[in-house]
Amino acid sequence: MDRRIIQQRMKRKRRQLFMRKVMRLVSCVVATVLVLTLMFNFVISPLAKKISGKDAGAVQEVKAETVKEDPTQADRVPVKNSGSTSKAGVMTVGWQEDEGGRWYQNADGTFYANGMAEIDGNTYAFDENGYMQTGWATIDGVDYMFDDNGVYDPSQQKKMVALTFDDGPGQYTMELLNCLEENGAHATFFMQGINAEQYPDEIKKMKEIGCELGNHSYNHPQLTTLSGDEIKNQFEKTSSIIEDACGSRPTVARTPYGAQDETVLSYVGMPCFMWDIDTLDWKTMNADSTYNTTMDSVTDGDIVLMHDIHQPSVEAALRIIPDLIEQGYKLVTVSELAKAKGITLQDGKSYTDFCDSTVEALKASDTSSSDTSDSSYEDSSYDEDSSSDEDSSYDSSSDSSEDLSVDSSFDDGSSEGSAEDSSEDAVIEE
Protein backbone atom coordinates (compact mmCIF):
# COMPACT_ATOMS: atom_id res chain seq x y z
CA MET A 1 0.00 0.00 0.00
CA ASP A 2 1.13 3.45 -0.76
CA ARG A 3 2.95 5.01 2.19
CA ARG A 4 1.23 8.35 1.68
CA ILE A 5 -2.20 6.78 2.10
CA ILE A 6 -1.11 5.05 5.31
CA GLN A 7 0.08 8.39 6.79
CA GLN A 8 -3.27 10.05 5.97
CA ARG A 9 -5.17 7.27 7.73
CA MET A 10 -2.98 7.61 10.80
CA LYS A 11 -3.59 11.37 10.95
CA ARG A 12 -7.36 10.87 10.80
CA LYS A 13 -7.13 8.29 13.55
CA ARG A 14 -5.18 10.66 15.79
CA ARG A 15 -7.74 13.43 15.20
CA GLN A 16 -10.57 11.11 16.13
CA LEU A 17 -8.81 10.11 19.35
CA PHE A 18 -8.20 13.77 20.20
CA MET A 19 -11.84 14.72 19.63
CA ARG A 20 -12.97 11.85 21.83
CA LYS A 21 -10.73 13.07 24.63
CA VAL A 22 -12.05 16.63 24.26
CA MET A 23 -15.66 15.45 24.37
CA ARG A 24 -15.02 13.38 27.46
CA LEU A 25 -13.37 16.37 29.12
CA VAL A 26 -16.26 18.71 28.23
CA SER A 27 -18.76 16.18 29.53
CA CYS A 28 -16.89 15.93 32.78
CA VAL A 29 -16.79 19.73 33.19
CA VAL A 30 -20.53 20.07 32.45
CA ALA A 31 -21.38 17.28 34.85
CA THR A 32 -19.23 18.84 37.55
CA VAL A 33 -20.85 22.27 37.12
CA LEU A 34 -24.31 20.70 37.19
CA VAL A 35 -23.55 18.77 40.35
CA LEU A 36 -22.13 21.84 42.06
CA THR A 37 -25.16 23.92 41.05
CA LEU A 38 -27.56 21.33 42.40
CA MET A 39 -25.60 21.08 45.63
CA PHE A 40 -25.63 24.86 46.07
CA ASN A 41 -29.36 25.26 45.39
CA PHE A 42 -30.61 22.28 47.35
CA VAL A 43 -28.01 21.77 50.05
CA ILE A 44 -25.68 24.70 50.70
CA SER A 45 -28.16 27.59 50.22
CA PRO A 46 -31.01 26.12 52.34
CA LEU A 47 -28.49 25.23 55.03
CA ALA A 48 -27.08 28.76 55.03
CA LYS A 49 -30.58 30.26 55.29
CA LYS A 50 -31.46 28.04 58.22
CA ILE A 51 -28.25 28.99 59.97
CA SER A 52 -28.99 32.69 59.42
CA GLY A 53 -32.55 32.26 60.71
CA LYS A 54 -34.32 32.93 57.38
CA ASP A 55 -37.10 30.76 56.07
CA ALA A 56 -35.91 28.99 52.92
CA GLY A 57 -39.40 29.19 51.43
CA ALA A 58 -40.01 32.89 52.10
CA VAL A 59 -39.61 35.46 49.37
CA GLN A 60 -37.32 38.24 50.56
CA GLU A 61 -38.73 41.53 49.27
CA VAL A 62 -36.11 44.16 48.64
CA LYS A 63 -37.09 47.72 49.50
CA ALA A 64 -35.20 50.95 49.20
CA GLU A 65 -33.82 52.07 52.54
CA THR A 66 -34.82 55.70 53.04
CA VAL A 67 -34.81 57.64 56.27
CA LYS A 68 -37.92 59.82 55.95
CA GLU A 69 -37.17 62.72 58.27
CA ASP A 70 -39.70 64.93 56.47
CA PRO A 71 -43.19 63.35 56.26
CA THR A 72 -43.79 65.13 52.95
CA GLN A 73 -40.72 63.52 51.40
CA ALA A 74 -41.51 60.97 48.68
CA ASP A 75 -40.69 57.29 49.13
CA ARG A 76 -38.19 55.64 46.81
CA VAL A 77 -39.87 52.45 45.61
CA PRO A 78 -37.88 49.77 43.73
CA VAL A 79 -39.23 49.46 40.19
CA LYS A 80 -38.98 45.67 40.26
CA ASN A 81 -41.25 45.56 43.30
CA SER A 82 -43.80 48.02 41.98
CA GLY A 83 -46.07 45.42 40.40
CA SER A 84 -46.28 47.63 37.30
CA THR A 85 -45.28 45.97 34.05
CA SER A 86 -45.00 49.36 32.34
CA LYS A 87 -42.41 50.48 34.89
CA ALA A 88 -40.56 47.18 35.09
CA GLY A 89 -39.48 47.33 31.45
CA VAL A 90 -37.90 50.79 31.70
CA MET A 91 -34.10 50.86 31.87
CA THR A 92 -33.32 54.55 31.35
CA VAL A 93 -33.00 57.15 34.10
CA GLY A 94 -35.23 60.25 34.15
CA TRP A 95 -38.81 61.17 33.36
CA GLN A 96 -40.98 58.41 31.95
CA GLU A 97 -44.55 58.30 30.72
CA ASP A 98 -47.08 55.50 30.33
CA GLU A 99 -50.85 55.10 30.33
CA GLY A 100 -50.97 56.07 34.05
CA GLY A 101 -49.13 59.37 33.62
CA ARG A 102 -45.61 60.73 34.19
CA TRP A 103 -43.19 59.22 36.68
CA TYR A 104 -39.49 59.49 37.46
CA GLN A 105 -36.91 56.68 37.31
CA ASN A 106 -33.93 57.15 39.65
CA ALA A 107 -30.43 55.91 38.91
CA ASP A 108 -30.69 53.33 41.70
CA GLY A 109 -33.66 51.60 40.07
CA THR A 110 -36.34 53.29 42.20
CA PHE A 111 -39.17 55.70 41.48
CA TYR A 112 -40.75 58.40 43.68
CA ALA A 113 -44.16 57.84 45.33
CA ASN A 114 -46.30 59.10 48.22
CA GLY A 115 -44.88 62.59 48.63
CA MET A 116 -42.75 65.34 47.20
CA ALA A 117 -39.29 65.21 45.67
CA GLU A 118 -36.90 67.79 44.26
CA ILE A 119 -35.74 67.08 40.72
CA ASP A 120 -33.48 69.42 38.75
CA GLY A 121 -34.22 72.29 41.13
CA ASN A 122 -38.02 71.94 41.03
CA THR A 123 -40.35 70.27 43.53
CA TYR A 124 -42.86 67.71 42.31
CA ALA A 125 -45.55 65.61 44.00
CA PHE A 126 -46.11 61.91 43.30
CA ASP A 127 -49.16 59.84 44.21
CA GLU A 128 -49.16 56.38 45.78
CA ASN A 129 -48.55 54.77 42.38
CA GLY A 130 -45.63 57.07 41.60
CA TYR A 131 -47.35 59.32 39.08
CA MET A 132 -46.73 63.07 39.01
CA GLN A 133 -49.60 65.20 40.33
CA THR A 134 -50.93 68.52 39.09
CA GLY A 135 -53.36 70.96 40.70
CA TRP A 136 -54.02 70.85 44.44
CA ALA A 137 -52.53 67.94 46.35
CA THR A 138 -52.88 67.25 50.08
CA ILE A 139 -49.68 65.89 51.62
CA ASP A 140 -49.43 65.24 55.36
CA GLY A 141 -52.55 67.32 55.90
CA VAL A 142 -51.25 70.37 54.02
CA ASP A 143 -52.42 71.51 50.57
CA TYR A 144 -49.89 72.35 47.86
CA MET A 145 -50.47 73.68 44.34
CA PHE A 146 -48.62 72.12 41.39
CA ASP A 147 -48.88 73.73 37.96
CA ASP A 148 -49.69 71.99 34.68
CA ASN A 149 -46.06 70.85 34.44
CA GLY A 150 -46.21 69.40 37.94
CA VAL A 151 -43.96 72.07 39.48
CA TYR A 152 -44.82 73.27 42.99
CA ASP A 153 -46.08 76.86 43.15
CA PRO A 154 -45.50 78.20 46.69
CA SER A 155 -47.33 81.44 45.90
CA GLN A 156 -50.65 79.59 45.80
CA GLN A 157 -52.36 78.91 49.15
CA LYS A 158 -55.55 76.86 49.48
CA LYS A 159 -58.41 78.85 50.97
CA MET A 160 -59.83 77.17 54.07
CA VAL A 161 -62.80 77.73 56.33
CA ALA A 162 -64.02 75.89 59.43
CA LEU A 163 -67.77 75.38 59.73
CA THR A 164 -68.74 74.77 63.36
CA PHE A 165 -72.06 73.56 64.74
CA ASP A 166 -73.20 74.03 68.34
CA ASP A 167 -75.68 72.39 70.72
CA GLY A 168 -76.32 69.11 68.91
CA PRO A 169 -76.53 66.43 68.00
CA GLY A 170 -80.16 66.71 66.96
CA GLN A 171 -82.73 65.28 64.61
CA TYR A 172 -81.23 67.12 61.60
CA THR A 173 -77.58 66.29 62.26
CA MET A 174 -77.42 63.05 60.26
CA GLU A 175 -78.60 64.82 57.08
CA LEU A 176 -75.85 67.38 57.58
CA LEU A 177 -73.25 64.66 58.12
CA ASN A 178 -74.31 62.90 54.91
CA CYS A 179 -73.84 66.16 52.99
CA LEU A 180 -70.35 66.64 54.46
CA GLU A 181 -69.40 63.08 53.54
CA GLU A 182 -70.71 63.41 49.97
CA ASN A 183 -68.62 66.54 49.47
CA GLY A 184 -65.46 65.27 51.18
CA ALA A 185 -65.79 68.07 53.73
CA HIS A 186 -65.08 68.22 57.46
CA ALA A 187 -66.70 70.27 60.22
CA THR A 188 -66.45 70.64 63.99
CA PHE A 189 -69.39 69.75 66.24
CA PHE A 190 -69.48 71.34 69.69
CA MET A 191 -71.93 69.03 71.45
CA GLN A 192 -73.96 69.32 74.60
CA GLY A 193 -73.82 66.20 76.73
CA ILE A 194 -77.56 66.26 77.33
CA ASN A 195 -78.11 65.84 73.57
CA ALA A 196 -75.12 63.59 72.93
CA GLU A 197 -76.77 60.99 75.16
CA GLN A 198 -79.70 60.80 72.73
CA TYR A 199 -77.81 60.62 69.42
CA PRO A 200 -74.87 58.17 69.67
CA ASP A 201 -75.15 57.12 66.00
CA GLU A 202 -74.59 60.69 64.87
CA ILE A 203 -71.46 60.91 67.00
CA LYS A 204 -70.10 57.69 65.49
CA LYS A 205 -70.77 59.09 62.02
CA MET A 206 -68.91 62.32 62.86
CA LYS A 207 -65.81 60.34 63.75
CA GLU A 208 -66.09 58.02 60.74
CA ILE A 209 -66.10 60.85 58.18
CA GLY A 210 -63.29 62.85 59.78
CA CYS A 211 -65.22 65.56 61.59
CA GLU A 212 -63.92 66.90 64.88
CA LEU A 213 -65.60 66.11 68.18
CA GLY A 214 -66.09 69.21 70.31
CA ASN A 215 -67.36 69.69 73.87
CA HIS A 216 -69.97 72.39 74.61
CA SER A 217 -70.63 71.49 78.29
CA TYR A 218 -73.37 69.19 79.55
CA ASN A 219 -76.39 71.50 79.69
CA HIS A 220 -75.15 74.95 78.70
CA PRO A 221 -74.71 76.94 81.94
CA GLN A 222 -72.94 80.27 82.20
CA LEU A 223 -69.54 78.98 83.28
CA THR A 224 -68.35 82.24 84.79
CA THR A 225 -70.88 81.76 87.60
CA LEU A 226 -69.70 78.23 88.47
CA SER A 227 -66.91 76.93 90.66
CA GLY A 228 -63.88 75.20 89.19
CA ASP A 229 -65.20 71.74 90.11
CA GLU A 230 -68.58 72.51 88.59
CA ILE A 231 -66.91 73.60 85.34
CA LYS A 232 -64.81 70.43 85.26
CA ASN A 233 -67.90 68.30 85.86
CA GLN A 234 -69.75 69.94 82.97
CA PHE A 235 -67.01 69.08 80.49
CA GLU A 236 -65.86 65.77 81.96
CA LYS A 237 -69.39 64.34 81.91
CA THR A 238 -69.87 65.38 78.28
CA SER A 239 -66.48 63.98 77.25
CA SER A 240 -67.36 60.64 78.84
CA ILE A 241 -70.71 60.51 77.03
CA ILE A 242 -69.04 61.20 73.68
CA GLU A 243 -66.33 58.63 74.38
CA ASP A 244 -68.97 56.01 75.22
CA ALA A 245 -70.66 56.71 71.89
CA CYS A 246 -67.66 56.48 69.57
CA GLY A 247 -64.56 55.47 71.53
CA SER A 248 -62.90 58.90 71.32
CA ARG A 249 -63.00 61.95 73.56
CA PRO A 250 -63.50 65.51 72.31
CA THR A 251 -60.32 67.34 71.36
CA VAL A 252 -61.63 70.93 71.46
CA ALA A 253 -64.27 72.92 73.34
CA ARG A 254 -66.53 75.93 73.09
CA THR A 255 -67.90 77.61 76.19
CA PRO A 256 -71.68 78.25 76.44
CA TYR A 257 -72.60 81.82 75.52
CA GLY A 258 -68.90 82.23 74.63
CA ALA A 259 -68.53 83.35 78.26
CA GLN A 260 -65.00 82.62 79.41
CA ASP A 261 -62.09 84.01 81.35
CA GLU A 262 -58.69 82.62 82.29
CA THR A 263 -60.17 80.65 85.19
CA VAL A 264 -62.85 79.05 83.00
CA LEU A 265 -60.34 78.21 80.28
CA SER A 266 -58.00 76.56 82.76
CA TYR A 267 -60.75 74.25 84.05
CA VAL A 268 -62.06 73.36 80.59
CA GLY A 269 -58.65 71.85 79.89
CA MET A 270 -58.82 71.93 76.08
CA PRO A 271 -58.21 74.47 73.32
CA CYS A 272 -61.36 76.62 73.17
CA PHE A 273 -62.88 78.22 70.10
CA MET A 274 -64.92 81.33 69.53
CA TRP A 275 -65.85 82.42 65.97
CA ASP A 276 -65.54 85.39 63.65
CA ILE A 277 -68.64 84.82 61.50
CA ASP A 278 -71.82 84.71 63.58
CA THR A 279 -74.71 83.69 61.33
CA LEU A 280 -77.30 84.47 64.03
CA ASP A 281 -79.15 81.43 62.71
CA TRP A 282 -80.76 80.81 66.13
CA LYS A 283 -82.33 84.27 65.91
CA THR A 284 -83.41 84.55 62.29
CA MET A 285 -84.41 80.89 61.89
CA ASN A 286 -84.15 81.57 58.15
CA ALA A 287 -82.05 79.44 55.78
CA ASP A 288 -81.57 82.25 53.24
CA SER A 289 -80.34 84.66 55.89
CA THR A 290 -77.87 82.11 57.27
CA TYR A 291 -76.65 81.28 53.76
CA ASN A 292 -76.20 84.91 52.73
CA THR A 293 -74.47 85.92 55.97
CA THR A 294 -71.93 83.16 55.47
CA MET A 295 -71.31 83.52 51.76
CA ASP A 296 -71.13 87.32 51.86
CA SER A 297 -68.61 87.37 54.72
CA VAL A 298 -66.40 84.32 54.34
CA THR A 299 -62.65 84.63 53.81
CA ASP A 300 -59.68 82.35 54.22
CA GLY A 301 -59.18 81.28 57.84
CA ASP A 302 -62.68 82.05 59.11
CA ILE A 303 -64.56 80.08 61.77
CA VAL A 304 -68.32 80.10 61.14
CA LEU A 305 -70.91 79.59 63.89
CA MET A 306 -74.14 77.67 63.21
CA HIS A 307 -76.41 75.25 65.11
CA ASP A 308 -77.33 71.81 63.85
CA ILE A 309 -80.40 71.58 66.13
CA HIS A 310 -82.27 74.04 63.87
CA GLN A 311 -83.77 72.82 60.60
CA PRO A 312 -83.28 76.17 58.76
CA SER A 313 -79.61 76.14 59.80
CA VAL A 314 -79.05 72.68 58.39
CA GLU A 315 -80.94 73.61 55.21
CA ALA A 316 -78.57 76.56 54.81
CA ALA A 317 -75.53 74.36 55.46
CA LEU A 318 -76.62 71.93 52.75
CA ARG A 319 -76.26 74.83 50.29
CA ILE A 320 -73.21 76.44 51.88
CA ILE A 321 -71.04 73.31 51.81
CA PRO A 322 -71.01 72.64 48.03
CA ASP A 323 -71.01 76.34 47.16
CA LEU A 324 -67.92 77.08 49.27
CA ILE A 325 -66.14 74.14 47.68
CA GLU A 326 -67.09 75.42 44.22
CA GLN A 327 -65.52 78.77 45.18
CA GLY A 328 -62.23 77.01 45.94
CA TYR A 329 -62.53 76.62 49.71
CA LYS A 330 -61.50 73.52 51.60
CA LEU A 331 -63.83 72.80 54.50
CA VAL A 332 -61.82 71.65 57.50
CA THR A 333 -62.08 71.20 61.25
CA VAL A 334 -60.78 73.89 63.57
CA SER A 335 -57.74 71.76 64.41
CA GLU A 336 -57.03 71.09 60.75
CA LEU A 337 -57.28 74.81 60.06
CA ALA A 338 -54.83 75.60 62.86
CA LYS A 339 -52.34 73.00 61.61
CA ALA A 340 -52.55 74.27 58.03
CA LYS A 341 -51.79 77.79 59.26
CA GLY A 342 -48.83 76.61 61.33
CA ILE A 343 -50.47 77.12 64.74
CA THR A 344 -49.98 74.61 67.57
CA LEU A 345 -53.12 74.60 69.69
CA GLN A 346 -52.71 74.94 73.44
CA ASP A 347 -54.98 73.81 76.25
CA GLY A 348 -56.49 76.69 78.16
CA LYS A 349 -56.19 79.09 75.24
CA SER A 350 -59.01 80.51 73.12
CA TYR A 351 -59.00 81.11 69.37
CA THR A 352 -61.39 83.17 67.24
CA ASP A 353 -60.09 82.63 63.69
CA PHE A 354 -56.97 81.86 61.67
CA CYS A 355 -57.02 84.74 59.22
CA ASP A 356 -53.63 86.16 58.21
CA SER A 357 -53.46 88.93 60.78
CA THR A 358 -54.52 86.63 63.61
CA VAL A 359 -52.03 83.97 62.58
CA GLU A 360 -49.20 86.52 62.55
CA ALA A 361 -50.13 87.64 66.06
CA LEU A 362 -50.39 84.07 67.33
CA LYS A 363 -47.01 83.15 65.91
CA ALA A 364 -45.47 86.26 67.44
CA SER A 365 -46.69 85.24 70.87
CA ASP A 366 -44.27 82.93 72.66
CA THR A 367 -46.47 82.30 75.70
CA SER A 368 -49.87 80.71 76.28
CA SER A 369 -51.14 83.68 78.32
CA SER A 370 -54.13 85.65 77.07
CA ASP A 371 -53.44 88.65 74.85
CA THR A 372 -55.14 90.53 72.04
CA SER A 373 -54.43 87.76 69.56
CA ASP A 374 -55.91 84.83 71.47
CA SER A 375 -59.41 86.31 71.51
CA SER A 376 -60.24 85.04 75.00
CA TYR A 377 -63.32 86.44 76.70
CA GLU A 378 -62.78 89.03 79.40
CA ASP A 379 -65.25 88.30 82.22
CA SER A 380 -65.56 91.95 83.20
CA SER A 381 -67.23 92.76 79.86
CA TYR A 382 -70.01 90.22 80.17
CA ASP A 383 -73.40 91.85 80.68
CA GLU A 384 -75.83 89.45 82.34
CA ASP A 385 -78.70 91.89 82.03
CA SER A 386 -78.41 92.03 78.25
CA SER A 387 -78.25 88.24 78.19
CA SER A 388 -81.50 88.01 80.12
CA ASP A 389 -83.19 90.37 77.69
CA GLU A 390 -82.13 88.23 74.74
CA ASP A 391 -83.20 85.06 76.54
CA SER A 392 -86.71 86.33 76.99
CA SER A 393 -87.10 86.95 73.27
CA TYR A 394 -86.10 83.48 72.14
CA ASP A 395 -88.85 81.15 70.88
CA SER A 396 -87.93 77.52 71.50
CA SER A 397 -91.11 76.07 70.06
CA SER A 398 -89.44 75.27 66.74
CA ASP A 399 -87.55 72.30 68.11
CA SER A 400 -88.74 70.02 70.88
CA SER A 401 -85.21 69.32 72.01
CA GLU A 402 -84.28 72.97 72.39
CA ASP A 403 -85.84 73.47 75.79
CA LEU A 404 -82.62 72.21 77.31
CA SER A 405 -80.16 72.56 74.46
CA VAL A 406 -80.29 75.91 72.69
CA ASP A 407 -76.99 77.77 72.38
CA SER A 408 -76.65 81.34 73.54
CA SER A 409 -73.21 82.16 72.22
CA PHE A 410 -71.67 85.34 73.54
CA ASP A 411 -70.15 87.87 71.18
CA ASP A 412 -68.92 91.36 71.96
CA GLY A 413 -70.98 91.71 75.11
CA SER A 414 -74.28 90.50 73.67
CA SER A 415 -75.97 87.12 73.89
CA GLU A 416 -77.44 85.01 71.11
CA GLY A 417 -80.40 83.98 73.20
CA SER A 418 -81.25 81.04 75.42
CA ALA A 419 -84.02 78.69 76.29
CA GLU A 420 -82.12 77.27 79.20
CA ASP A 421 -84.26 76.53 82.24
CA SER A 422 -83.35 76.88 85.86
CA SER A 423 -82.10 73.28 85.96
CA GLU A 424 -78.91 74.43 84.23
CA ASP A 425 -77.78 76.17 87.38
CA ALA A 426 -77.57 72.85 89.14
CA VAL A 427 -74.19 71.20 89.60
CA ILE A 428 -73.67 68.20 87.37
CA GLU A 429 -72.67 65.26 89.53
CA GLU A 430 -70.43 62.53 88.18
Side-chain angles (χ1 to χ4, degrees):
M1 182 179 293
D2 189 348
R3 184 174 180 176
R4 185 171 56 82
I5 294 175
I6 295 174
Q7 289 176 342
Q8 290 176 347
R9 289 180 176 177
M10 290 178 65
K11 287 181 180 180
R12 283 199 298 270
K13 187 66 174 179
R14 285 195 294 269
R15 282 199 299 268
Q16 289 174 354
L17 293 173
F18 176 76
M19 291 302 298
R20 288 174 184 173
K21 290 180 180 180
V22 171
M23 291 301 294
R24 282 197 296 269
L25 180 61
V26 171
S27 297
C28 289
V29 171
V30 171
T32 300
V33 171
L34 181 60
V35 169
L36 291 174
T37 301
L38 292 174
M39 287 182 64
F40 179 81
N41 289 335
F42 294 100
V43 179
I44 299 174
S45 181
L47 183 61
K49 288 182 178 181
K50 286 183 178 180
I51 293 173
S52 64
K54 295 181 179 180
D55 183 359
V59 177
Q60 302 298 318
E61 183 178 357
V62 179
K63 293 185 178 180
E65 296 293 334
T66 302
V67 178
K68 199 168 182 179
E69 297 178 355
D70 182 355
T72 66
Q73 177 186 345
D75 298 321
R76 295 171 74 100
V77 182
V79 170
K80 63 179 181 180
N81 293 335
S82 67
S84 171
T85 55
S86 61
K87 290 185 176 68
V90 176
M91 303 300 293
T92 58
V93 175
W95 287 103
Q96 316 294 332
E97 189 166 359
D98 57 32
E99 67 278 2
R102 296 189 71 200
W103 57 283
Y104 191 85
Q105 168 98 307
N106 294 297
D108 61 357
T110 64
F111 63 92
Y112 291 117
N114 291 317
M116 296 190 293
E118 185 174 331
I119 302 172
D120 297 331
N122 292 321
T123 300
Y124 300 86
F126 299 88
D127 65 19
E128 59 183 6
N129 295 312
Y131 292 108
M132 184 191 78
Q133 297 180 271
T134 59
W136 288 105
T138 303
I139 302 172
D140 192 39
V142 180
D143 293 282
Y144 301 87
M145 168 57 80
F146 299 87
D147 65 21
D148 292 340
N149 295 317
V151 178
Y152 169 51
D153 182 357
S155 67
Q156 299 293 318
Q157 301 295 323
K158 184 77 169 179
K159 297 187 297 183
M160 296 184 181
V161 62
L163 300 181
T164 65
F165 298 89
D166 284 9
D167 289 344
Q171 59 182 309
Y172 312 111
T173 303
M174 188 60 77
E175 183 179 10
L176 172 59
L177 292 171
N178 289 335
C179 178
L180 289 166
E181 183 178 26
E182 291 168 3
N183 287 276
H186 295 165
T188 305
F189 290 84
F190 292 103
M191 295 173 275
Q192 286 191 54
I194 197 170
N195 284 339
E197 291 174 317
Q198 304 176 50
Y199 295 94
D201 290 340
E202 280 74 1
I203 299 174
K204 293 175 186 175
K205 181 76 170 181
M206 292 174 193
K207 179 181 176 181
E208 288 173 2
I209 67 174
C211 289
E212 188 160 20
L213 308 175
N215 191 322
H216 197 44
S217 80
Y218 181 74
N219 63 350
H220 213 280
Q222 183 186 329
L223 300 179
T224 53
T225 67
L226 303 184
S227 69
D229 286 342
E230 289 171 336
I231 295 170
K232 288 177 64 176
N233 286 342
Q234 282 280 336
F235 286 88
E236 179 57 35
K237 184 170 184 177
T238 300
S239 290
S240 296
I241 292 169
I242 293 172
E243 184 176 22
D244 289 343
C246 69
S248 297
R249 294 173 69 84
T251 51
V252 291
R254 176 172 281 161
T255 57
Y257 309 95
Q260 58 190 36
D261 55 22
E262 290 188 13
T263 301
V264 168
L265 293 173
S266 68
Y267 280 106
V268 171
M270 287 177 278
C272 287
F273 285 86
M274 300 285 279
W275 56 89
D276 65 326
I277 295 182
D278 187 351
T279 62
L280 295 177
D281 58 336
W282 61 271
K283 187 173 184 179
T284 65
M285 297 297 286
N286 182 282
D288 288 338
S289 175
T290 299
Y291 175 88
N292 292 331
T293 298
T294 302
M295 301 303 293
D296 292 345
S297 307
V298 70
T299 58
D300 179 40
D302 283 334
I303 296 177
V304 182
L305 170 63
M306 289 184 281
H307 300 78
D308 53 316
I309 58 170
H310 301 313
Q311 186 175 17
S313 301
V314 172
E315 289 176 353
L318 300 182
R319 296 163 53 193
I320 290 169
I321 291 166
D323 286 0
L324 283 176
I325 293 173
E326 186 177 355
Q327 290 188 13
Y329 284 94
K330 182 177 183 180
L331 305 187
V332 296
T333 68
V334 290
S335 290
E336 289 171 337
L337 182 57
K339 180 179 179 180
K341 299 299 184 179
I343 301 299
T344 300
L345 297 177
Q346 301 176 29
D347 293 345
K349 190 167 184 176
S350 183
Y351 305 85
T352 294
D353 64 80
F354 294 102
C355 299
D356 290 344
S357 59
T358 304
V359 168
E360 290 177 7
L362 287 169
K363 289 181 176 179
S365 175
D366 56 1
T367 67
S368 62
S369 60
S370 298
D371 56 29
T372 56
S373 67
D374 72 5
S375 308
S376 62
Y377 164 82
E378 295 296 337
D379 188 39
S380 60
S381 67
Y382 186 78
D383 185 350
E384 295 184 37
D385 293 336
S386 67
S387 174
S388 299
D389 292 342
E390 290 286 335
D391 290 351
S392 63
S393 67
Y394 188 85
D395 180 5
S396 64
S397 61
S398 62
D399 190 307
S400 60
S401 68
E402 292 175 23
D403 58 339
L404 289 177
S405 60
V406 178
D407 180 271
S408 302
S409 301
F410 172 87
D411 187 13
D412 295 335
S414 63
S415 169
E416 284 188 3
S418 174
E420 312 293 288
D421 62 19
S422 59
S423 65
E424 293 186 11
D425 295 330
V427 178
I428 305 302
E429 300 294 343
E430 290 295 337

